[in-house]
Amino acid sequence: MSDNGRVPRPFPDVPEPEARAGLRPRLPSPLTETADARFARRGVRLLLKRDDLIHPELVGNKWRKLAPNLAAARGRALVTFGGAYSNHLRATAAAGRLLGVPTIGVVRGDELAGRPLNRSLARCAADGMRLHFVDRSTYRSKREPEVLARLLADAGAAGAYVVPEGGSNARAVEGCTELGRELRGHADVVGVACGTGGTLAGLAAGLGAGQRALGVAVLRGGFLAREVEALQTAAFGRRRGDWEVTDRFHAGGYARVPAALEAFAEDFEQRHGLPVERLYVAKVLHALTVLTEEGAFARGTTLAAIVTGAPDPV
Ligand SMILES: Cc1ncc(COP(=O)(O)O)c(C=O)c1O
């Protein structure tokens, strides 16, 4: 709340009518209870934190991570990075269109430049995002300051506000603390899928005393706990909250959806009428189900699963 008791506007530099027309997030996101025998049998409750319902185009953690960055950009163009199917690129392009902010997307793979755009990139372009394709080696090195400076100059994005790949930076982490605050007093353990770790970093910092966050890595490699710690240090100067990352449930790595996980997700959809996004949300729901069945949670525990996304319409 601001001094005059009004909720501060998330985009102070955006003319009010535009903000009202384009961006009306549903916050706090709904928290619903599911009746699932696999959990009930163990005396465990399962809640779903429906961040997928925050905004039809800025789904789930996208709103929470982008909103503080768009406010910080203060009307400057926004440049960000992603692969040819990046949800983050699409969300950024949509936010740019909704708020009248120019966006530039640096896309991995210069071989794509001469080809027709796939549906994901075509959506970005239709939302006004200018696409700049770079070779994979440059893309990999984009965190190095000289490489980044050259890349931005080539993309016509010098002076633009830079949002990293996946949208996770200190501001995004701060934005995600609100997710934790919304869950205070409601759950003992909160499960969330980890891609870059930004959502977990913020969530864990926002939870209250006695609450624990469990990050489910969707990538192989076992590096995510370090990333989460680095993001918390960038945002808060230190590690915060009670959290851990499990590397048991990536199902083979990023974008891998083996038949058993697909079957689990289809079954969950039928049981609960929840559209289950496969690359992240299916993995966290699967992790919580398996851990519950293994007896990892004491009777009387309340779990919350963050529904960070919806199945991709593209
Ligand atoms: C649907 C969905 N859930 C979870 C995540 C993971 O979020 P983070 O990268 O903050 O770990 C992503 C990645 O952006 C995502 O698209």
Side-chain angles (χ1 to χ4, degrees):
M1 289 278 196
S2 60
D3 289 349
N4 60 11
R6 289 176 57 207
V7 176
R9 289 172 48 211
F11 301 106
D13 301 306
V14 173
E16 185 111 58
E18 265 182 60
R20 264 194 265 119
L23 285 167
R24 225 188 264 123
R26 187 170 173 193
L27 289 171
S29 64
L31 183 64
T32 59
E33 177 146 12
T34 58
D36 190 310
R38 294 167 295 188
F39 292 81
R41 217 175 283 135
R42 293 280 178 171
V44 172
R45 289 171 70 213
L46 176 66
L47 309 179
L48 298 175
K49 178 68 170 157
R50 298 292 307 271
D51 265 20
D52 56 316
L53 301 177
I54 289 178
H55 188 279
E57 290 185 85
L58 301 178
V59 176
N61 58 5
K62 301 293 175 290
W63 164 270
R64 298 195 189 269
K65 288 158 93 173
L66 272 172
N69 278 294
L70 280 155
R74 299 184 167 272
R76 272 190 290 162
L78 215 99
V79 60
T80 193
F81 309 85
Y85 291 93
S86 163
N87 290 337
H88 165 66
L89 277 187
R90 276 216 313 289
T92 306
R97 186 194 83 237
L98 292 164
L99 288 163
V101 175
T103 57
I104 301 151
V106 175
V107 185
R108 179 178 56 229
D110 53 352
E111 74 280 2
L112 301 172
R115 298 193 200 152
L117 298 177
N118 68 28
R119 286 174 64 188
S120 185
L121 292 175
R123 183 72 249 161
C124 292
D127 279 342
M129 177 174 266
R130 190 152 57 73
L131 299 173
H132 180 75
F133 296 88
V134 296
D135 65 85
R136 283 156 199 273
S137 140
T138 304
Y139 191 90
R140 257 195 311 278
S141 312
K142 64 188 175 307
R143 286 192 189 184
E144 292 168 24
E146 298 102 74
V147 176
L148 180 65
R150 198 163 6 96
L151 198 162
L152 294 181
D154 290 349
Y161 182 90
V162 179
V163 176
E165 181 177 33
S168 285
N169 58 9
R171 285 184 202 278
V173 170
E174 278 162 26
C176 290
T177 59
E178 195 53 31
L179 171 59
R181 279 193 286 274
E182 288 175 22
L183 283 163
R184 284 188 187 180
H186 293 292
D188 304 301
V189 181
V190 182
V192 67
C194 289
T196 61
T199 310
L200 171 62
L203 162 72
L207 289 173
Q211 292 183 296
R212 179 159 69 88
L214 175 65
V216 176
V218 306
L219 292 93
R220 295 162 67 113
F223 60 91
L224 269 161
R226 277 196 307 280
E227 292 286 316
V228 175
E229 187 136 5
L231 283 162
Q232 288 200 327
T233 305
F236 315 117
R238 63 183 171 90
R239 186 180 167 118
R240 276 189 45 188
D242 183 0
W243 60 266
E244 65 180 301
V245 175
T246 169
D247 289 303
R248 265 183 69 194
F249 299 98
H250 56 61
Y254 183 67
R256 295 284 162 85
V257 186
L261 183 64
E262 178 60 32
F264 169 85
E266 279 174 22
D267 174 68
F268 199 95
E269 288 180 329
Q270 269 161 22
R271 284 174 191 248
H272 302 300
L274 174 81
V276 175
E277 187 276 338
R278 297 299 199 261
L279 309 192
Y280 295 91
V281 179
K283 292 182 182 179
V284 74
L285 292 172
H286 183 239
L288 292 180
T289 306
V290 170
L291 290 169
T292 299
E293 288 180 326
E294 288 175 354
F297 305 112
R299 295 190 85 79
T301 300
T302 300
L303 304 177
I306 312 292
V307 184
T308 43
D312 191 346
V314 174

